[in-house]
């Protein structure tokens, strides 16, 4: 079935497998199935729509609406929400059921859910604060210790200024790094030690400027290498030559020169059509241990899934149109930021821990059989935060579904007017940039930039050896966007021990620079540059890289 996307006007396909999935997850009441209709947007527009309610890296100071305590939150004070400190939110001092109301069949469902979402308290940050230790400045992260400004990250220790890192220790300024230690400016790496400026590599140590390398030690400016030691520019070298180059990395000027050279050399070396290991019957990029997974990106241990993104948990099964997932999830559809032993979750956000049969809900936990609820914990058979008996619930929900179908609401994700952040604060902006005028025209909110910036209070030396301890008391200004930032003491200690120059850009500019080093979440059809076999790849046809199919790449590298 071919459809025209209502958002971008491109054609997209609804396959028989898609239709079978919609049938499988459709709710059943009194023996009657209430079919979820096929989507009206293409996969990419559906992804962006799921991202625009998510703000992970923008944090603000505000007061807890329950206690008056000064707190940090990803909700800007300009937005009209009730925000509680996490400790208070998770306590028994308030009850989300007290905000319950009857469903009004004379009004649209989304309008009523939006009104409820405006008054039910939200927690200030989305973290595993019950398990965290000294991690106040983190968000979308959990089970971490002594971490600062890490996001979408779990099980980390003494790590800073990073996004989507897991099981790391003493790592800084990295993006999608796993099971690694003493790493800096690494992107899409695993099981690395004491590496910097390394990308798409694994099981490597004491190296700098690597791309697509495995089990390499003391290597510099290398590509597509396996099991090598003391290699420089892909040639066997000596310990003395290696140490001479590494010593130069204490200077920012030298690092920038090597970065430019590294970028040019990356384009000259052969690329595999996708990044992934131990996959079977998959399409997309950055997939690991997946089977029967299509047009998906940044996923691990997923089976029988389509259009899922950023799911690094374990055992994600039989799901579709899903962003960010924790461990053990099954039969999830059109949802975001959910996980940990959940099943049958549709059109929802932030559903965590032992949840099932939940539809159109936001930030509910340890619950089941909820429809249109906000902020509930350990509840069952609720509609718009009102408690019902099982019999009442199963009688009313079908009527609401029929009402939503008449209004064109059932089967659609939360609309733009329910977005809790400005579009420019959200993950959607990372993948589909809009101007303020474009965003407002589409019905999104926009947060105007706070222009309060102060001049830098000191000069930043080029070499880390010349940086005084007093730098932690100074205010710095990003050379790119002029935003102010500081160097914290733990960060300075890391730079000094690892012989790394102090950054002159703020965290956000560094973060977005790392993101730009990855390909977009989009597949193009092209031919293997060696055998001409057809491939689906994130390397656009007009890009300069030489792209091989897997067989040709393995033959070339191994």
């Amino acid at each position: 079935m071919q459809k025209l996307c209502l958002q971008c006007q491109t054609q997209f396909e609804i396959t028989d497998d898609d239709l079978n999935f919609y049938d499988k997850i459709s709710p059943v009441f009194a023996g009657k199935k209430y079919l979820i209709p096929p989507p009206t947007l293409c996969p990419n527009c559906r992804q962006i729509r799921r991202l625009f309610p998510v703000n992970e890296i923008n944090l603000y100071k505000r007061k807890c609406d329950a206690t008056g305590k000064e707190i940090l939150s990803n909700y800007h004070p300009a937005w009209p929400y009730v925000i509680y400190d996490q400790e208070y939110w998770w306590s028994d001092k308030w009850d989300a059921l007290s905000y319950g109301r009857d469903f009004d069949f004379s009004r649209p469902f989304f309008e009523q859910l939006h009104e409820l979402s405006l008054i039910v308290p939200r927690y200030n940050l989305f973290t595993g604060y019950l398990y965290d230790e000294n991690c106040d400045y983190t968000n979308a992260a959990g089970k971490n210790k002594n971490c600062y400004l890490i996001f979408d990250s779990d099980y980390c220790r003494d790590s800073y200024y990073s996004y989507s890192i897991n099981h790391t220790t003493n790592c800084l300024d990295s993006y999608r790094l796993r099971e690694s230690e003493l790493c800096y400016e690494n992107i899409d790496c695993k099981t690395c030690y004491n590496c910097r400026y390394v990308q798409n590599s694994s099981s490597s140590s004491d190296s700098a400027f690597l791309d697509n390398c495995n089990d390499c030690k003391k290597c510099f400016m290398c590509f597509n290498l396996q099991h090598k030691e003391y290699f420089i520019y892909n040639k066997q070298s000596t310990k003395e030559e290696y140490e001479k180059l590494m010593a130069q990395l204490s200077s920012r000027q030298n690092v920038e020169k090597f970065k430019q050279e590294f970028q040019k050399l990356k384009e000259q070396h052969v690329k595999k059509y996708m990044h992934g290991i131990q996959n079977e019957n998959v399409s997309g990029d950055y997939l690991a241990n997946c089977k029967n997974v299509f047009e998906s990106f940044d996923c691990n241990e997923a089976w029988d899934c389509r259009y899922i993104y950023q799911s690094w948990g374990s055992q994600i099964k039989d799901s579709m149109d899903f962003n960010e997932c924790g461990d053990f999830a099954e039969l999830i559809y059109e949802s975001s930021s959910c996980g940990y032993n959940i099943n049958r979750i549709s059109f929802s956000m932030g559903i965590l821990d032992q949840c099932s049969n939940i539809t159109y809900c936001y930030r509910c936990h340890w619950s089941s059989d909820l429809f249109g609820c906000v902020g509930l914990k350990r509840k069952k058979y609720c509609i718009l935060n009102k408690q019902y008996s099982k019999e009442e619930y199963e009688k009313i929900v079908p009527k609401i579904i029929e009402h939503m179908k008449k209004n064109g609401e059932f089967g659609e994700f939360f609309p733009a007017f329910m977005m809790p952040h400005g579009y420019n604060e959200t993950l959607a902006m990372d993948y589909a940039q809009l101007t303020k005028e474009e965003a407002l025209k589409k019905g999104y909110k926009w947060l105007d930039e706070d222009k309060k910036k102060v001049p830098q209070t000191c000069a930043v030396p080029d070499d880390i050896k010349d940086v005084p301890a007093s730098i932690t008391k100074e205010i710095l200004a990003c050379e790119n966007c002029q935003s102010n930032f500081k160097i914290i003491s733990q960060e300075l200690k890391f730079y000094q021990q690892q012989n790394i120059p102090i950054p002159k850009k703020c965290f956000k500019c560094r973060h977005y620079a790392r993101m730009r080093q990855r390909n977009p979440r989009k597949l193009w059809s092209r031919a293997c540059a060696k055998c001409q076999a057809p491939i689906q790849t994130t390397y656009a046809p007009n890009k300069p890289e030489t792209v091989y199919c897997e067989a040709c790449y393995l033959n070339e590298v191994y």
Side-chain angles (χ1 to χ4, degrees):
M1 176 194 305
Q2 293 291 323
K3 296 195 71 173
L4 189 68
C5 176
L6 295 182
Q7 184 78 30
C8 68
Q9 305 304 308
T10 60
Q11 277 201 334
F12 66 99
E13 184 180 11
I14 303 291
T15 68
D16 289 340
D17 287 338
D18 294 341
L19 294 173
N20 290 335
F21 179 79
Y22 305 142
D23 180 77
K24 183 186 297 186
I25 62 169
S26 293
V28 178
F29 296 97
K32 180 180 178 181
K33 182 173 290 186
Y34 293 81
L35 286 173
I36 292 177
T40 57
L41 303 185
C42 69
N44 184 61
C45 287
R46 300 199 299 268
Q47 178 205 179
I48 300 305
R49 183 172 61 177
R50 291 191 301 274
L51 290 177
F52 70 56
V54 183
N55 168 28
E56 290 182 343
I57 72 171
N58 297 285
L59 305 180
Y60 314 98
K61 289 183 178 180
R62 61 177 299 158
K63 292 187 182 296
C64 170
D65 288 310
T67 66
K69 173 185 174 182
E70 188 80 21
I71 58 175
L72 194 71
S73 177
N74 64 325
Y75 292 95
H76 192 278
W79 306 134
Y81 298 103
V82 180
I83 306 300
Y84 283 180
D85 176 65
Q86 287 189 92
E87 182 177 1
Y88 193 95
W89 193 94
W90 287 100
S91 73
D92 295 328
K93 297 178 180 178
W94 70 286
D95 185 2
L97 285 181
S98 65
Y99 299 89
R101 72 264 316 273
D102 293 323
F103 188 83
D104 185 349
F105 285 94
S106 68
R107 301 171 60 206
F109 167 78
F110 285 133
E111 184 180 289
Q112 298 178 65
L113 181 60
H114 180 51
E115 290 177 357
L116 179 66
S117 73
L118 288 173
I119 61 172
V120 177
R122 303 166 180 238
Y123 36 68
N124 60 313
L125 294 169
F126 188 33
T127 71
Y129 93 103
L130 292 173
Y131 313 100
D132 290 346
E133 183 178 341
N134 191 27
C135 292
D136 294 339
Y137 286 76
T138 66
N139 190 40
K143 301 183 179 179
N144 300 303
K145 181 179 180 180
N146 300 331
C147 293
Y148 180 77
L149 291 185
I150 66 169
F151 306 91
D152 186 41
S153 302
D154 298 307
Y155 304 104
C156 298
R157 300 290 181 269
D158 303 295
S159 296
Y160 317 96
Y161 304 109
S162 298
Y163 186 89
S164 197
I165 59 174
N166 294 276
H167 297 278
T168 69
T169 302
N170 277 313
C171 293
L172 269 75
D173 274 312
S174 292
Y175 188 95
R176 304 221 180 281
L177 177 66
R178 304 181 71 192
E179 301 167 31
S180 298
E181 185 174 356
L182 288 174
C183 289
Y184 178 74
E185 283 281 9
N186 283 14
I187 303 172
D188 294 303
C189 293
K190 182 181 179 182
T191 56
C192 288
Y193 178 83
N194 193 28
C195 288
R196 65 192 74 172
Y197 317 113
V198 172
Q199 190 168 0
N200 303 314
S201 299
S202 62
S203 305
S204 296
S205 61
D206 305 306
S207 298
F209 297 106
L210 305 184
D211 187 30
N212 284 303
C213 292
N214 178 56
D215 189 26
C216 290
K217 301 176 183 178
K218 298 178 172 63
C219 293
F220 190 97
M221 202 67 72
C222 291
F223 306 85
N224 297 330
L225 289 188
Q226 312 288 322
H227 320 301
K228 302 297 183 185
E229 186 173 6
Y230 289 121
F231 264 60
I232 298 174
Y233 292 95
N234 278 40
K235 294 181 180 179
Q236 184 68 62
S237 188
T238 65
K239 177 183 177 182
E240 292 72 24
E241 290 173 315
Y242 160 81
E243 291 179 345
K244 183 179 179 180
L245 282 169
M246 291 295 290
Q248 296 181 40
L249 299 184
S250 65
S251 161
R252 186 183 308 102
Q253 184 176 349
N254 290 339
V255 169
E256 291 305 316
K257 179 188 69 175
F258 284 125
K259 280 184 176 182
Q260 292 175 18
E261 182 180 12
F262 184 57
Q263 187 61 38
K264 291 179 181 177
L265 289 173
K266 277 200 302 184
E267 296 175 356
Q268 298 173 14
H269 287 267
V270 170
K271 302 290 186 183
K272 190 171 77 167
Y273 78 106
M274 72 168 287
H275 302 88
I277 58 171
Q278 298 179 327
N279 296 308
E280 181 182 342
N281 192 29
V282 302
S283 66
D285 207 7
Y286 292 103
L287 304 177
N289 310 301
C290 294
K291 182 178 180 180
N292 300 330
V293 171
F294 304 104
E295 293 198 41
S296 298
F297 300 84
D298 301 306
C299 299
N300 175 62
E301 285 194 27
W303 295 279
D304 303 309
C305 295
R306 292 173 294 287
Y307 312 122
I308 65 172
Y309 310 83
Q310 209 163 308
S311 295
W312 286 113
S314 299
Q315 299 189 32
I316 317 302
K317 299 180 180 179
D318 207 6
S319 297
M320 183 173 175
D321 286 306
F322 196 179
N323 292 78
E324 293 199 56
C325 183
D327 300 331
F328 309 111
E330 189 170 0
L331 294 173
I332 315 301
Y333 178 59
E334 274 285 18
S335 295
S336 184
S337 303
C338 303
Y340 308 113
N341 299 293
I342 61 172
N343 68 85
R344 290 194 175 275
I345 311 295
S346 300
F347 314 108
S348 296
M349 282 195 62
I351 307 301
L352 299 179
D353 295 306
Q354 310 293 335
C355 290
S356 61
N357 298 317
I358 289 179
T359 310
Y360 288 110
C361 292
Y362 183 83
R363 298 287 192 253
C364 295
H365 312 285
W366 301 299
S367 299
S368 67
D369 301 284
L370 306 179
F371 197 100
C373 292
V374 180
L376 294 183
K377 296 169 287 185
R378 297 182 174 88
K379 296 295 187 289
K380 195 171 185 178
Y381 303 123
C382 297
I383 304 168
L384 293 182
N385 283 34
K386 181 177 179 179
Q387 183 69 64
Y388 292 90
S389 68
K390 180 177 184 294
E391 293 73 22
E392 291 172 325
Y393 178 87
E394 294 183 347
K395 181 179 180 181
I396 297 172
V397 169
K399 294 179 180 179
I400 295 175
I401 292 175
E402 294 295 349
H403 176 74
M404 292 178 68
K405 285 185 175 182
K406 292 177 182 177
N407 293 328
E409 296 176 305
F410 191 64
E412 300 293 338
F413 194 64
F414 302 123
F417 70 82
M418 292 185 66
M419 183 167 69
H421 308 284
Y423 187 88
N424 55 327
E425 298 176 273
T426 69
L427 291 181
M429 188 69 165
D430 296 346
Y431 297 95
Q433 291 195 359
L434 298 177
T435 64
K436 178 180 179 179
E437 292 71 24
E438 290 170 334
L440 294 176
K441 186 176 181 180
K442 291 177 179 288
Y444 306 139
K445 293 188 292 189
W446 189 270
L447 183 67
D448 289 322
E449 181 183 6
D450 183 358
K451 300 185 183 298
K452 294 179 182 178
K453 298 172 182 176
V454 301
Q456 187 161 298
T457 59
C458 72
V460 179
D462 173 73
D463 199 299
I464 184 61
K465 299 182 183 70
D466 301 322
V467 175
S470 60
I471 192 76
T472 58
K473 299 178 182 179
E474 305 289 350
I475 298 175
L476 305 185
C478 175
E479 65 178 8
N480 184 49
C481 71
Q482 288 73 55
S483 294
N484 294 123
F485 68 101
K486 298 192 72 173
I487 302 295
I488 62 174
S489 58
Q490 302 95 316
E491 177 187 6
L492 177 61
K493 181 180 179 181
F494 179 90
Y495 295 146
Q496 291 171 331
Q497 290 177 342
Q498 298 303 108
N499 208 34
I500 293 171
I502 282 180
K504 295 189 73 174
K505 293 184 175 71
C506 67
F507 162 70
K508 288 182 184 177
C509 287
R510 302 191 315 256
H511 167 67
Y512 291 126
R514 288 188 286 272
M515 284 192 68
R516 288 192 295 270
Q517 293 189 54
R518 305 175 93 231
N519 289 345
R521 290 175 174 174
K522 183 177 180 180
L523 295 175
W524 284 272
S525 297
R526 58 185 293 177
C528 169
K530 189 170 186 178
C531 72
Q532 303 305 308
I535 53 177
Q536 290 280 308
T537 180
T538 56
Y539 292 97
N542 61 351
K543 293 201 71 172
E545 292 89 351
T546 300
V547 184
Y548 282 4
C549 67
E550 184 160 13
C552 290
Y553 177 84
L554 294 177
N555 186 59
E556 177 86 10
V557 172
Y558 290 91

